[in-house]
């Protein structure tokens, strides 16, 4: 019994000692854990405070002597040379042309670039005025009259669109002031207006019109933009308006022209002129400094517009068409030419005269003095002989009594009063017969009535077209 009691006491002592030891270890672990929690923010704070001080030291490390030497050498290599610097300075100081929008009201500088649909400007010198039509890329030609009034010598009611240039590329026609595939802009400087037409990745044509004394020097500079050669040809059309009410619309050397005609320019056929009582123009198509066209055609503007370079014109056909009456034009056709990357330049000239004429006796044009520049014309240019007044008629043509013709129509002069139900081809024919009668009687005396009747014909034709 004593042994059992002794063993029990011994077990109790050992258990008590183990329990006390375990409690001590748990207490030490708890104290250590609390100490760790308290020291952690302090360490983090110390790291954050220490980091900014160490970071600049790391950034300064690359800035060694060797690094500075490499940066200095790199800067020296990238710096432009002295001549290049001067060139860049000159370019930065040079005045660049500004594109003028339609809404801007800025004065035009010495050199101006006018964008498509930009603000129109004009160039005036001597008796000649050039006008831009940025709506379609056309140019208008004017001549001064009494009181400083400028009178057009080509049609301008259509914003100059019926006076144009066509570029044929491999026989395909691009009408440069109408085609949607053609972009354009103007360059206006001093006494010169240029239109630069671009057919994307195919061709560029620069039409330059430079006023010189009483003339306009015209040049067409053509460039092939494609990597392969193409066949190019140019057609220039001028829709003239000065002699529309006269029997003879044009004059060529030794001949007056009253119907369609085509001819090849030569020393004997070197100009075409057109004029009225107040002003005249002359297209010089042959001579020194001129690139003679392959053919010159005087015909109705609609006939010319529908034609290509292969069209056969009919000499003697009246200046009429289904769409217009007595509406003549001058068309210049140049020869086809295969063109690689080289440029090709074609030239001709337009002379102007604003002297008041009496009884249609055309005054001599002012003498042409060539410009003192190498391009686009040489120093010596053959002077085209002045126009001679038409020879007087051998006998006076008696007034036409209409041969018993009775006109059953009233000749209206106000377009708004035309009754579409009453007009037909016979009505037009009566008007034409009446005009012919007045022209045979006394063209000068009946000029205003002839003009009114021609307006009436245009109105009737408009009605007839609307029925189609």
């Amino acid at each position: 019994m004593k042994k059992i009691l002794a063993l029990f006491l011994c077990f109790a002592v050992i258990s008590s000692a183990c329990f006390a030891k375990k409690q001590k270890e748990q207490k030490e672990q708890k104290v250590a854990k609390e100490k760790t929690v308290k020291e952690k923010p302090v360490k983090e704070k110390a790291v954050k405070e220490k980091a900014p001080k160490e970071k600049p030291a790391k950034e300064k490390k690359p800035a060694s002597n060797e690094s500075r030497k490499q940066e200095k050498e790199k800067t020296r290599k990238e710096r432009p040379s002295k001549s290049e610097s001067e060139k860049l300075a000159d370019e930065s100081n040079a005045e660049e042309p500004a594109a003028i929008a339609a809404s801007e009201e800025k004065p035009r500088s010495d050199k101006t670039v006018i964008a498509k649909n930009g603000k129109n400007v004009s160039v005036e010198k001597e008796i000649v005025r050039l006008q831009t039509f940025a709506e379609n890329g056309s140019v208008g030609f004017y001549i001064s009259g009494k009181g400083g009034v400028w009178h057009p010598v080509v049609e301008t009611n259509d914003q100059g669109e019926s006076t144009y240039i066509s570029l044929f590329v491999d026989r395909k026609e691009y009408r440069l002031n109408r085609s949607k595939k053609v972009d354009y802009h103007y360059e206006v400087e001093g006494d010169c207006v240029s239109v630069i037409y671009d057919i994307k990745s195919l061709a560029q044509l620069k039409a330059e019109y430079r006023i010189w004394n009483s003339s306009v020097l015209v040049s067409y500079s053509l460039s092939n933009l494609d990597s392969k050669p193409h066949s190019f040809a140019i057609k220039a059309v001028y829709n003239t308006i000065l002699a529309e009410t006269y029997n003879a619309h044009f004059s060529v050397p030794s001949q007056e022209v009253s119907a369609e005609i085509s001819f090849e320019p030569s020393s004997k056929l070197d100009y075409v002129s057109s004029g009225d009582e107040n002003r005249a123009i002359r297209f010089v198509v042959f001579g020194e400094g001129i690139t003679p066209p392959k053919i010159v055609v005087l015909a109705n503007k609609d006939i010319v517009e529908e034609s290509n370079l292969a069209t056969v014109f009919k000499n003697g056909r009246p200046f009429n068409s289904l769409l217009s009456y007595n509406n003549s034009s001058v068309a210049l056709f140049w020869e086809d030419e295969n063109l690689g990357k080289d440029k090709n330049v074609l030239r001709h000239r337009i002379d102007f005269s604003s002297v008041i004429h009496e009884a249609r006796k055309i005054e001599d044009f002012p003498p042409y003095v060539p410009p003192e520049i190498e391009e686009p014309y040489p120093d010596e240019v053959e002077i085209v002989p002045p126009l001679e007044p038409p020879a007087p008629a051998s006998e006076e043509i008696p007034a036409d009594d209409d041969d018993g013709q009775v006109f059953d129509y009233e000749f209206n002069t106000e377009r708004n009063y035309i009754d579409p139900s009453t007009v037909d081809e016979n009505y037009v024919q009566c008007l034409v017969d009446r005009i012919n009668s007045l022209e045979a009687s006394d063209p000068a005396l009946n000029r205003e009535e002839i003009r009114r009747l021609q307006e009436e014909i245009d109105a009737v034709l408009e009605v007839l077209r609307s029925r189609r």
Side-chain angles (χ1 to χ4, degrees), residues 159-173:
Q159 301 298 302
E161 191 174 278
S162 55
T163 292
Y164 61 93
I165 307 166
S166 279
L167 178 62
F168 293 83
V169 183
D170 299 329
R171 293 285 176 171
K172 180 179 179 181
E173 182 178 10

Side-chain angles (χ1 to χ4, degrees), residues 265-302:
S266 65
S267 58
K268 295 182 179 180
L269 291 170
D270 49 12
Y271 68 83
V272 176
S273 65
S274 179
D276 59 15
E277 297 94 339
N278 301 317
R279 51 200 182 274
I281 54 174
R282 178 173 58 183
F283 299 89
V284 183
V285 294
F286 190 89
E288 191 69 26
I290 304 295
T291 309
K294 176 183 179 181
I295 187 174
V296 177
V297 176
L298 310 180
N300 181 278
K301 73 175 186 66
D302 300 317

